[in-house]
Amino acid sequence: MNTFFSIVVPVFNRPEEVRELLESLQKQDFQEDFEVVIVEDGSSESSEGIVEKFQDKLNISYYYKENSGPGDSRNFGMQKAQGNYFIILDSDCILPKQYLSEVDKELSKEFVHCFGGPDAADTSFTTIQKAINYVMTSFLTTGGIRGGKKAVGKFQPRSFNMGISKTAFEKAGGFGRIHPGEDPDLTFRIWKAGFDTRLFPNAYVYHKRRIDWNKFYIQVNKFGMVRPILNKWHPGTAKPTYWFPTLFMLGLAVAIVASIFGLWLPLLLYGFYFSILFLDALIKSKNLIVGVLSIFAALIQFTGYGIGFFKSTMLLNFSNKKPEELFPKLFFKKR
């Protein structure tokens, strides 16, 4: 099919991020025309002035709407877009100049109605950003759970770097109200509609993830809370590997207690794992501090996700309430 890309970006109070993203889009080496759709999701810090500066440099449109969450804003943008293939990006992403060319190359080689791309750490990132990026993408942590070239299952695209054809968007119904978790929920419905998903390994973005340790814990805790809800909605997608962070932290607690009584082997095994994690992060980042911080980031990730997953699983299984009633903060209200 002849593809015309519409890049859809929801934004909430991040005008400077929009500027950086648009600058990277302006530098693309892709030779064909494409459009950019910026959807302001009820922000108090408007990006409209930033967008206006790119009007003569990009085929770009700007829309303001009342706040209803990133999923609904993406749906809004795709409904306004002129293209037949949508590329969904987060506002905190920066694209390497070959990004669109790589997407076009993959689609020309083997067309797929939905794809996802990886995220990478740019050299300008802080050490904390690099450590968080490592644990969010590494196969040694929960990064391997969502699937990839070394996947434990079918690849599940994430909406910070995701492509979807207009056909698949219309048949699957777009993003839902849950957040986070709106991207795997859509992926599962895309599968049910008869479409495949695929990883485009070279269509990566630099995902800045401007969060501190506390915000990182809150984020992964929500990820853990969302997963049992998705398992309930899409039972065929549930996997034993989703229990890994919970069991990992329980095992670590047992290992620490066992060491008090002279049983050191379990704790030594954990030490071996963290040594491998440190070395892998050190080799990939070429930064000693990032290697050390990656261990701390992994502990936050496993703890936050594990507690969230366990709590959500228990409440969903031993309560008659709907997920929206149990976890109202994970759902945006209907417009």
Side-chain angles (χ1 to χ4, degrees):
M1 79 183 270
N2 294 321
T3 53
F4 177 68
F5 296 128
S6 291
I7 298 172
V8 178
V9 184
V11 59
F12 181 72
N13 290 336
R14 300 288 180 90
E16 278 305 301
E17 288 184 352
V18 172
R19 180 186 58 78
E20 292 176 330
L21 173 57
L22 294 180
E23 286 176 350
S24 69
L25 282 168
Q26 185 186 346
K27 297 173 183 176
Q28 291 297 295
D29 62 13
F30 186 60
Q31 298 300 309
E32 304 297 326
D33 189 27
F34 63 91
E35 74 164 335
V36 183
V37 180
I38 303 295
V39 181
E40 193 89 66
D41 186 26
S43 301
S44 57
E45 298 178 38
S46 175
S47 300
E48 188 173 10
I50 298 293
V51 173
E52 287 177 352
K53 295 178 181 178
F54 288 85
Q55 290 288 354
D56 59 344
K57 303 170 185 176
L58 292 166
N59 177 5
I60 190 168
S61 55
Y62 171 89
Y63 298 95
Y64 180 91
K65 51 177 280 299
E66 294 301 315
N67 179 254
S68 59
D72 187 60
S73 296
R74 296 182 191 113
N75 292 341
F76 180 92
M78 287 186 280
Q79 289 163 355
K80 295 291 185 180
Q82 301 300 309
N84 58 4
Y85 207 103
F86 309 128
I87 295 177
I88 312 298
L89 299 171
D90 277 358
S91 63
D92 59 355
C93 290
I94 299 173
L95 308 187
K97 66 178 182 179
Q98 74 279 8
Y99 174 82
L100 285 175
S101 295
E102 290 293 342
V103 171
D104 186 62
K105 185 190 303 182
E106 289 283 355
L107 290 174
S108 299
K109 180 175 64 177
E110 182 186 346
F111 185 84
V112 67
H113 282 274
C114 181
F115 77 86
D119 55 336
D122 186 56
T123 53
S124 64
F125 284 16
T126 67
T127 52
I128 292 178
Q129 285 175 326
K130 290 176 180 177
I132 291 175
N133 180 81
Y134 171 79
V135 299
M136 291 295 285
T137 59
S138 174
F139 189 74
L140 294 174
T141 61
T142 65
I145 290 178
R146 72 185 179 102
K149 287 193 291 187
K150 300 178 181 178
V152 295
K154 291 174 66 176
F155 180 68
Q156 300 176 25
R158 290 293 184 265
S159 53
F160 66 83
N161 181 11
M162 179 181 188
I164 178 173
S165 71
K166 184 175 182 178
T167 301
F169 165 69
E170 291 176 344
K171 288 192 176 181
F175 291 94
R177 293 188 299 114
I178 193 169
H179 178 72
E182 71 274 16
D183 30 16
D185 173 52
L186 175 57
T187 296
F188 298 150
R189 286 186 281 110
I190 287 172
W191 292 346
K192 289 177 182 178
F195 301 105
D196 291 326
T197 56
R198 186 157 63 86
L199 171 68
F200 288 7
N202 295 320
Y204 61 87
V205 300
Y206 299 118
H207 196 190
K208 299 191 77 167
R209 288 194 177 92
R210 294 182 180 178
I211 51 179
D212 55 29
W213 293 121
N214 182 58
K215 290 179 181 177
F216 181 51
Y217 176 86
I218 293 172
Q219 181 186 60
V220 293
N221 182 251
K222 287 182 177 180
F223 288 160
M225 294 172 69
V226 159
R227 182 56 66 173
I229 299 173
L230 298 177
N231 291 345
K232 190 178 183 68
W233 288 351
H234 310 281
T237 65
K239 300 185 187 310
T241 49
Y242 295 143
W243 278 96
F244 174 72
T246 303
L247 297 177
F248 182 93
M249 294 311 297
L250 287 174
L252 179 58
V254 170
I256 293 172
V257 172
S259 68
I260 297 174
F261 295 95
L263 300 174
W264 289 97
L265 181 60
L267 197 58
L268 288 173
L269 291 175
Y270 273 91
F272 177 75
Y273 165 77
F274 285 119
S275 298
I276 296 296
L277 188 76
F278 165 76
L279 289 173
D280 187 54
L282 174 62
I283 291 169
K284 289 179 177 176
S285 68
K286 299 180 176 61
N287 187 306
L288 180 64
I289 297 176
V290 173
V292 174
L293 290 178
S294 293
I295 296 175
F296 185 60
L299 284 169
I300 293 176
Q301 182 188 52
F302 288 142
T303 302
Y305 189 103
I307 290 174
F309 184 88
F310 182 78
K311 175 184 176 182
S312 180
T313 298
M314 293 299 103
L315 288 173
L316 287 171
N317 285 317
F318 296 100
S319 172
N320 294 322
K321 294 183 177 179
K322 296 179 179 180
E324 293 88 337
E325 298 174 295
L326 291 170
F327 310 104
K329 292 183 179 180
L330 297 179
F331 293 87
F332 280 90
K333 294 180 180 179
K334 292 182 180 179
R335 294 172 62 197

